[in-house]
Amino acid sequence: MNLNYPVIVLANRGARKFYPENTLISFKKSLEIGVDGIKTEVYKTKDNYFIVGFNDFYFTPEKFNKETLIFSDLKKVKLPLNQRILSLDELVKELPMETLLMLEVNDEECVEKLVEFLCKSKASGRTMISSSNDKIIKKIHELKKEIYTGYIINSKESIENTKNIDFISELYSVIVSAQGIKYYGVENFKYNISYYKELDLKIFMSNIEEIKLLDDIYGYYDAIITDNIAEVIHYLEEKFWGGNNVS
């Protein structure tokens, strides 16, 4: 995963402010706006397909159960704007080769198949697998050390745990919620982030609700995961290139 720019921008589930989240149109529109990549979640179906961004609210519990999902059934589900549920294979093929992919995984049992898929599809070099589950991260490292991994820090306890985990040197990044600023305050938040920067980890910042926060913690992030993609891109263009779009 090559961070070519001072800061990269990942669209959280695509341009979901304007289009149905986790759909092909949403991902493609976010690229048109100017993001470097996308962030989504992946799940494995019973018949061994990986689906992108399964959303419970699309289904009634009695009709669909994550334990018994069959991809052919999911393809029949009609989403807004004539969109369909995507497989990871479709997503990889449909998006340009340079598109960065951040895939959040919460199911330990699917990790081996996912790593196998990324290697076979030649997508591993532009993909980072993220999780808040220690076991998932460790399993990825055991299977394929070259896979980029990101550890999701979503609580004070996670920060303390991360400082003690034995695989921290093998991580590519940590994913930190900007909501931590409200909990710690700006200076304490930056102090905690400094620990990871000293380890040469990339800092992926999520949950940026106010652009002002990017100024408050300027220099403490390498990537931004956001719903506010146009606003963030505009901020970065002003910050680094004086408003001149270099794309």
Side-chain angles (χ1 to χ4, degrees):
M1 178 171 275
N2 187 12
L3 303 186
N4 290 318
Y5 306 107
V7 178
I8 67 167
V9 180
L10 302 180
N12 183 33
R13 302 178 180 176
R16 67 174 184 161
K17 277 195 168 184
F18 311 103
Y19 300 93
E21 65 180 40
N22 289 319
T23 58
L24 188 58
I25 189 173
S26 185
F27 292 130
K28 286 188 171 182
K29 290 297 182 180
S30 70
L31 295 175
E32 290 178 14
I33 293 171
V35 300
D36 304 291
I38 58 100
K39 179 265 179 187
T40 188
E41 304 80 27
V42 293
Y43 302 90
K44 187 168 72 69
T45 62
K46 187 177 180 180
D47 51 344
N48 290 320
Y49 281 87
F50 286 101
I51 56 172
V52 173
F54 180 92
N55 296 304
D56 291 333
F57 58 80
Y58 288 147
F59 315 107
T60 55
E62 65 273 11
K63 188 173 183 182
F64 288 97
N65 183 305
K66 287 184 181 180
E67 302 299 320
T68 58
L69 289 175
I70 301 296
F71 186 60
S72 58
D73 291 337
L74 292 174
K75 292 299 288 183
K76 298 173 185 176
V77 177
K78 293 183 179 180
L79 304 182
L81 299 183
N82 202 31
Q83 294 296 294
R84 303 284 180 175
I85 292 172
L86 285 172
S87 70
L88 183 58
D89 184 53
E90 290 170 325
L91 183 68
V92 168
K93 289 177 179 177
E94 288 284 348
L95 297 186
M97 285 293 293
E98 65 271 18
T99 305
L100 302 179
L101 305 174
M102 177 177 167
L103 307 178
E104 182 176 339
V105 178
N106 297 299
D107 180 7
E108 188 180 347
E109 293 182 5
C110 82
V111 170
E112 187 169 350
K113 289 287 185 183
L114 179 58
V115 169
E116 181 182 321
F117 166 81
L118 291 173
C119 293
K120 283 185 176 180
S121 63
K122 299 181 180 179
S124 59
R126 59 176 172 133
T127 302
M128 181 177 76
I129 302 177
S130 64
S131 183
S132 58
N133 186 323
D134 297 16
K135 293 180 180 179
I136 287 177
I137 300 293
K138 286 182 179 180
K139 192 167 185 177
I140 294 168
H141 292 164
E142 291 169 1
L143 291 167
K144 189 79 173 176
K145 288 185 178 292
E146 294 78 9
I147 295 284
Y148 297 102
T149 53
Y151 189 70
I152 300 173
I153 300 174
N154 48 25
S155 67
K156 180 181 178 182
E157 289 72 23
S158 294
I159 290 177
E160 297 306 318
N161 290 342
T162 310
K163 292 181 179 181
N164 298 314
I165 56 178
D166 54 5
F167 57 79
I168 193 166
S169 62
E170 298 180 58
L171 288 171
Y172 177 71
S173 73
V174 290
I175 298 91
V176 184
S177 172
Q179 295 301 304
I181 296 173
K182 296 178 181 178
Y183 184 87
Y184 289 105
V186 171
E187 294 308 315
N188 284 335
F189 184 79
K190 291 195 290 188
Y191 174 79
N192 282 309
I193 297 300
S194 295
Y195 170 78
Y196 304 112
K197 290 181 69 66
E198 289 172 3
L199 295 174
D200 204 28
L201 297 179
K202 301 296 183 184
I203 310 300
F204 281 59
M205 198 65 60
S206 65
N207 296 318
I208 300 289
E209 294 180 358
E210 302 174 26
I211 298 300
K212 178 183 178 298
L213 292 177
L214 295 178
D215 263 337
D216 292 340
I217 55 174
Y218 177 70
Y220 286 81
Y221 48 81
D222 301 289
I224 299 169
I225 306 160
T226 182
D227 295 337
N228 303 316
I229 53 181
E231 295 92 332
V232 168
I233 289 170
H234 176 73
Y235 167 85
L236 294 174
E237 287 176 348
E238 292 285 341
K239 193 75 176 176
F240 293 106
W241 299 293
N244 296 316
N245 192 326
V246 297
S247 60

